[in-house]
Amino acid sequence: MKEMSKSYISKKINKLNKKIHRAEEQNDENKVWWRKMKLEKLKNKLNKTS
């Protein structure tokens, strides 16, 4: 498995936040829900790497 750096994970978090806000504007609750779950996973990984 590829080693993920802090900067890589934070970049992914930023992209995911943009996608979440875009989906909220479009009122697509299903996408928002799935992306928030992914966001939590990424935040946990970020905390583990630090």
Side-chain angles (χ1 to χ4, degrees):
M1 190 167 107
K2 180 181 164 185
E3 186 67 32
M4 289 197 259
S5 66
K6 258 184 155 178
S7 60
Y8 177 79
I9 295 173
S10 59
K11 191 186 299 185
K12 288 288 187 184
I13 289 173
N14 287 339
K15 272 188 171 184
L16 206 51
N17 273 329
K18 286 180 186 177
K19 286 183 176 185
I20 288 171
H21 291 301
R22 198 175 310 126
E24 284 174 344
E25 288 175 2
Q26 296 170 354
N27 294 323
D28 194 344
E29 293 301 317
N30 194 32
K31 283 184 180 179
V32 171
W33 185 78
W34 280 109
R35 288 175 177 162
K36 283 186 178 182
M37 286 191 45
K38 277 180 133 181
L39 185 66
E40 288 301 315
K41 284 184 183 179
L42 283 173
K43 285 182 179 180
N44 287 337
K45 281 186 184 180
L46 185 64
N47 288 335
K48 287 182 183 178
T49 58
S50 55

